[in-house]
């Protein structure tokens, strides 16, 4: 079975500092990995995904994520946090197979960026 | 370009009543997903369709829940009878099969009294 874990319920960072939101995954095959962001009272918005290729993936709003196969991780990063980045962040995984197309989401990490 | 459209955005109903949530996927998308989000359980996949055919409904909590997709541009999620524990935000998402990225609607916030 495929799954992701987001070990931190909340991450606090000062504006201007780098941020990292952690995600580890478990799949039997090669993973498709995603990050989504949810602002209050809104739906989830796609940030970036890793399918294959370069381990460093760049996405929307200056975010990037690094795929690390040996550590089964896909941490979300941003060099300089903004107050407007404060939101709920979800990591998701799907196996790279034809068995289905549904994603498994983590429980989410709340990011708070303080001025 | 319109995104995924959900209606109603908010629904307040009394226990025992029937609730119908509606979703219009992005035009051209052929996969549709229904999720439920609560504080306790996070984001849960309820059911998904490929080309209007239900593929996996193992996440549907019980027989009170049913979902249909009569055509490529419309889906419903029905709860009958509703219970207070069904109170949650229900999201619909759509994607192109094999392109993986799901696009979410704004959600329907359901409160069952």
């Amino acid at each position: 079975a495929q799954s992701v874990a987001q070990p931190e319920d909340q991450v606090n960072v000062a504006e201007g500092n780098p941020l990292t939101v952690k995600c580890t995954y478990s799949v039997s095959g090669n993973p498709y990995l995603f990050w989504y962001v949810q602002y209050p009272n809104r739906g989830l918005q796609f940030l970036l995904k890793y399918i294959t290729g370069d381990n460093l993936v760049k996405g929307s709003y200056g975010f990037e994520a690094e795929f690390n196969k040996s550590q089964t991780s896909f941490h979300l990063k941003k060099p300089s946090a903004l107050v407007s980045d404060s939101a709920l962040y979800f990591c998701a995984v799907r196996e790279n197979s034809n068995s289905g197309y549904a994603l498994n989401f983590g429980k989410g990490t709340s990011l708070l960026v303080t001025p | 370009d319109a995104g995924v459209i959900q209606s109603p955005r908010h629904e307040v109903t009394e226990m025992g009543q029937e609730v119908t949530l509606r979703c219009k996927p992005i035009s051209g998308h052929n996969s549709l997903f229904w999720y439920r989000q609560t504080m306790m359980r996070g984001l849960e996949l309820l059911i998904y369709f490929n080309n209007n055919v239900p593929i996996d409904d193992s996440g549907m909590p019980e027989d009170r829940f049913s979902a249909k997709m009569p055509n490529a541009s419309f889906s419903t999620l029905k709860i009958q009878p509703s219970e207070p524990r069904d109170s949650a935000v229900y999201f619909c998402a759509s994607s192109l099969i094999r392109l993986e990225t799901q696009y979410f609607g704004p959600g329907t916030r359901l409160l069952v009294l």
Side-chain angles (χ1 to χ4, degrees):
Chain A
Q2 56 190 23
S3 65
V4 293
Q6 294 181 243
E8 303 154 316
D9 290 337
Q10 182 161 325
V11 170
N12 298 318
V13 63
E15 187 175 30
N17 284 357
L19 70 87
T20 298
V21 183
K22 296 179 180 178
C23 172
T24 58
Y25 66 89
S26 174
V27 297
S28 56
N30 292 320
Y32 287 9
L33 293 158
F34 300 78
W35 276 101
Y36 283 81
V37 61
Q38 185 180 27
Y39 297 100
N41 300 314
R42 303 285 295 277
L44 277 70
Q45 296 179 31
F46 170 73
L47 276 181
L48 52 80
K49 67 181 177 184
Y50 171 83
I51 304 299
T52 187
D54 289 341
N55 290 340
L56 185 63
V57 179
K58 295 187 182 297
S60 307
Y61 312 121
F63 284 93
E64 59 188 27
E66 186 169 11
F67 172 67
N68 188 317
K69 188 172 185 178
S70 63
Q71 297 185 3
T72 62
S73 67
F74 190 56
H75 301 331
L76 181 70
K77 299 182 179 183
K78 187 173 182 180
S80 179
L82 300 173
V83 172
S84 57
D85 293 330
S86 299
L88 189 58
Y89 290 80
F90 290 93
C91 182
V93 67
R94 180 178 88 75
E95 286 188 40
N96 184 3
S97 72
N98 292 325
S99 62
Y101 303 96
L103 299 178
N104 278 350
F105 284 86
K107 62 180 175 60
T109 298
S110 179
L111 173 66
L112 178 62
V113 182
T114 54
Chain B
D1 181 24
V4 175
I5 298 172
Q6 292 186 247
S7 65
R9 293 293 309 277
H10 302 272
E11 178 81 26
V12 180
T13 190
E14 293 187 347
M15 182 174 63
Q17 296 298 306
E18 178 179 295
V19 175
T20 300
L21 311 181
R22 298 173 176 79
C23 176
K24 177 179 172 56
I26 292 173
S27 178
H29 282 189
N30 46 15
S31 286
L32 183 138
F33 307 81
W34 281 102
Y35 292 90
R36 179 172 68 176
Q37 186 178 35
T38 61
M39 290 292 292
M40 292 296 293
R41 301 175 67 89
L43 196 64
E44 304 173 278
L45 175 68
L46 299 177
I47 185 171
Y48 76 97
F49 297 82
N50 285 346
N51 294 317
N52 312 337
V53 176
I55 301 301
D56 184 356
D57 65 354
S58 60
M60 297 285 262
E62 47 199 274
D63 292 344
R64 297 184 296 107
F65 285 68
S66 63
K68 294 182 179 180
M69 193 165 186
N71 57 62
S73 59
F74 184 65
S75 177
T76 59
L77 178 68
K78 185 175 294 186
I79 308 173
Q80 166 64 19
S82 58
E83 296 183 2
R85 59 192 168 124
D86 301 331
S87 297
V89 182
Y90 291 81
F91 289 105
C92 176
S94 70
S95 72
L96 283 168
I97 294 178
R98 300 186 186 280
L99 291 186
E100 293 84 27
T101 301
Q102 295 180 22
Y103 295 90
F104 282 71
T108 295
R109 187 172 297 272
L110 173 65
L111 178 61
V112 183
L113 302 174

